[in-house]
Amino acid sequence: MPLIILAVGIVLLFFLIVKVKLNAFLSLLLVAGIVGFAEGLPIDKIIPTIEKGLGGTLGGLAIVVSFGAILGKLMAESGGAQRIAMTLINTFGRKRVKWAVCLTGFIVGIALFYEIGFVLLIPLVFTIAASAHIPLLEVGIPMAAALSVTHGFLPPHPGPTAISVIYNADIGLTLVYGALIAIPTVIVAGPLFYDTVTGINPDIPKKLYNPKVFTEEEMPSFGISIFTALVPVVLMAASAIAKLTLPKDNVAYHVLTFLGTPDMALTIAVAIAFFTFGINRGKSITEIMKVVENAITAIAMILLIVGGGGALKQILIDSGVGKYIGDIVGATNLSPLFLAWGVAAVIRIACGSATVAALTAGGIAAPIVSVTGVSPELMVLATGAGSLIVSPPNDPGFWLFKEFFGLTIKETVRTWCALETIISVMGLIGVLVISMFI
């Protein structure tokens, strides 16, 4: 019966989001309350449990997600992202331009939400395709693949960061494992996958964009841009390596662990960005704070949705459903990693949103970690991989890709849906391979 109630709750969540068009945050809270009541949680405990889950999740995420958005916005508004893109393209040359765009998307995507990164880079994609006289999708597919891979596998993105909190995973170690999976995945799903796409060559839809093109003088240097963008990644990776290689009584261990916590790493990166992308580019503090305000406004609802996912997770734990699921899985031979991937994949196909799929699956699978002893970092990546599969038409990303590249539904399925599925399956394979060595 607990599983039946949970299944009905998930179906209700899909119905509210997809059919009723109710906001995902409100849907998650409503379903959390209903499931909690149906599972036998005392009625006077439902609201405190929701508050506990929401607050606990956002407590570990508010700074990370907010500062990540600020860093990305400053990079976009200063011309730093354009500088990274154009330098890499000039370095790689015409014949390897798709690899340059892929690398650009990978670097820029670490600090930007998928939709923001897509809208930011699409004018550059159009400009590159037109000036180099190459097919639009030759640069479009690698760019989209790189953004999607970072969105699914690499903190400080909100998806993998939020799931890390749910599973109590080490975010730095998740970043290291995620990078090991992300690099080969983006190569296959981007440049190599494009080579298999035939018969699709859309024109540049010139009326769909009005690019902000920075002059040479307006943009920061490539070194400054790449340094600022990668500061949080380097600090978190250094922290993860320190935890794996240094004794706990070593001073360097404590220093690197402190600097590599996501909150501290992004705080340092934003402080640097205020200077490199702001003051050093002639912006006043007032202008910089306006960029900060716009960045926070853009991710406010994402934060609430993440908190709603945490509320549902807490309901499942406090009502005993989590332990029930964990006991069942513990008595079977089914890999927890495959289970997390499968649950996230089913939810993704049903409701469209990768974020909702990842958070809901995380809430369902969280109790399995303590029961089975599986690596929480690999559970994060398995869940993230499952949440990317297919990208059905109820996913806004489907229409974003279709409309900007001027594709038909069939062409979008052959390109966008295919590359998302490649990313998802390769992510699962990568997680299973790494699990054999740890």
Side-chain angles (χ1 to χ4, degrees), residues 159-401:
T161 305
I163 314 170
S164 295
V165 172
I166 291 174
Y167 288 138
N168 197 29
D170 183 285
I171 295 181
L173 194 54
T174 301
L175 176 63
V176 173
Y177 290 159
L180 292 176
I181 297 171
I183 292 171
T185 298
V186 76
I187 290 172
V188 173
L192 297 185
F193 170 64
Y194 170 74
D195 292 338
T196 70
V197 176
T198 58
I200 304 177
N201 188 20
D203 294 326
I204 298 174
K206 298 178 181 178
K207 295 182 180 180
L208 288 182
Y209 74 105
N210 182 23
K212 161 66 174 171
V213 179
F214 294 88
T215 65
E216 185 70 22
E217 293 73 22
E218 289 176 323
M219 293 185 291
S221 69
F222 176 74
I224 290 294
S225 300
I226 202 79
F227 166 74
T228 309
L230 294 183
V231 162
V233 177
V234 171
L235 290 175
M236 285 191 281
S239 173
I241 294 171
K243 290 176 182 177
L244 292 173
T245 59
L246 297 178
K248 291 187 177 181
D249 59 353
N250 190 296
V251 175
Y253 172 91
H254 293 286
V255 172
L256 290 174
T257 299
F258 170 71
L259 295 177
T261 58
D263 289 354
M264 196 65 220
L266 278 161
T267 299
I268 293 170
V270 167
I272 292 172
F274 281 165
F275 176 76
T276 57
F277 292 153
I279 295 171
N280 201 41
R281 306 312 305 162
K283 288 185 170 64
S284 66
I285 295 296
T286 301
E287 291 173 316
I288 296 172
M289 290 305 104
K290 186 64 177 178
V291 175
V292 170
E293 291 174 12
N294 291 337
I296 297 300
T297 301
I299 54 91
M301 185 50 65
I302 293 176
L303 274 174
L304 287 177
I305 292 172
V306 168
L312 178 58
K313 173 211 69 172
Q314 199 64 46
I315 285 287
L316 295 177
I317 291 175
D318 287 11
S319 65
V321 180
K323 185 178 184 303
Y324 181 79
I325 295 173
D327 291 341
I328 292 176
V329 174
T332 68
N333 294 322
L334 185 64
S335 167
L337 297 171
F338 185 81
L339 177 69
W341 179 86
V343 171
V346 170
I347 298 173
R348 159 71 154 177
I349 294 170
C351 74
S353 170
T355 302
V356 171
L359 293 172
T360 306
I364 294 171
I368 298 172
V369 176
S370 58
V371 174
T372 62
V374 66
S375 165
E377 292 78 24
L378 292 184
M379 284 289 282
V380 171
L381 299 173
T383 305
S387 73
L388 294 176
I389 199 166
V390 178
S391 183
N394 52 345
D395 172 23
F398 178 96
W399 300 101
L400 195 69
F401 191 90

